[in-house]
Amino acid sequence: MNADPVDPVLQARGLCFGWPGRPLFRDLSFDLPPGVSLVRGDDGSGKSTLLALIAGALVPDAGTLAVQGVPLHSQHDAYRHRVFWIDPQTEAHDALAASGYLESLSRHYPKFSTETMDELVDGFGLRPHLGKPMYMLSTGSRRKVWLTAAFSAGAPLTLIDQPFAALDAPSIRFLRELLQEAEGDAARAWLLADHEAPDGVVLARTIKI
């Protein structure tokens, strides 16, 4: 007996985008199911740009995006509340304490979980750094704050660029465990962008660009 088809979390249709003199995507279409998926490609292939497009931070030259049936082009705010993404290089939150940034998420994500956040803070060893402003944190600690935000926001779609970059070995193991738990989620999707698939994680889909 065949299992019932699973509704995609994300639907991308006919995406086109490029920088001046440098086209990246032409008529890119795909569905993203629940679980953990990967955008895979070489440096400069557009992995980070694709995440920014899906997040609504960049506007495609053509094409449509919808999360849980909510289209970006006509319901921008509702769409953005369904997607978690942060540019790992951003300086937008530098003046905030790490704790202040994490606590601010509840205003943007209805399913933000303080309990999950506390577990992740301990799992990533962030407790001693919560009172520090973001600009004082090392690259690795900033990455841990972004990952804590990503997994506690509770968004239907979570986008993570180079998830293992700058992490120490214990944090890499902890993140791998989080992704392994995410594999079986029947309602939420995680889309990673990286050069290669994470060890020990069963992927729902791989998008090669």
Side-chain angles (χ1 to χ4, degrees), residues 39-114:
V39 177
R40 184 175 185 174
D42 297 329
D43 286 340
S45 62
K47 300 185 300 297
S48 298
T49 300
L50 180 57
L51 293 195
L53 285 167
I54 295 170
L58 292 174
V59 180
D61 299 324
T64 62
L65 291 157
V67 170
Q68 294 182 325
V70 176
L72 172 61
H73 67 280
S74 62
Q75 299 183 51
H76 183 270
D77 290 345
Y79 177 99
R80 290 290 296 268
H81 285 308
R82 287 167 167 78
V83 182
F84 178 90
W85 171 82
I86 190 162
D87 178 354
Q89 309 301 323
T90 185
E91 298 178 354
H93 308 290
D94 274 7
L96 288 175
S99 59
Y101 166 71
L102 292 171
E103 290 163 3
S104 73
L105 296 172
S106 62
R107 298 196 294 271
H108 302 283
Y109 299 101
K111 294 187 177 181
F112 171 80
S113 170
T114 301

Side-chain angles (χ1 to χ4, degrees), residues 102-187:
L102 292 171
E103 290 163 3
S104 73
L105 296 172
S106 62
R107 298 196 294 271
H108 302 283
Y109 299 101
K111 294 187 177 181
F112 171 80
S113 170
T114 301
E115 181 180 354
T116 299
M117 182 193 74
D118 285 339
E119 293 173 358
L120 295 168
V121 163
D122 290 332
F124 283 118
L126 279 173
R127 192 73 60 185
H129 305 293
L130 288 181
K132 300 176 185 176
M134 293 296 298
Y135 73 85
M136 290 184 62
L137 299 185
S138 67
T139 300
S141 292
R142 289 167 67 93
R143 287 274 185 166
K144 294 174 190 179
V145 172
W146 307 147
L147 289 166
T148 296
F151 281 90
S152 59
L157 176 60
T158 299
L159 310 172
I160 308 178
D161 198 356
Q162 292 189 295
F164 296 96
L167 296 184
D168 52 47
S171 294
I172 288 173
R173 289 193 295 271
F174 182 61
L175 175 56
R176 188 174 291 119
E177 292 171 2
L178 293 174
L179 292 172
Q180 288 168 341
E181 291 177 9
E183 289 172 12
D185 197 302

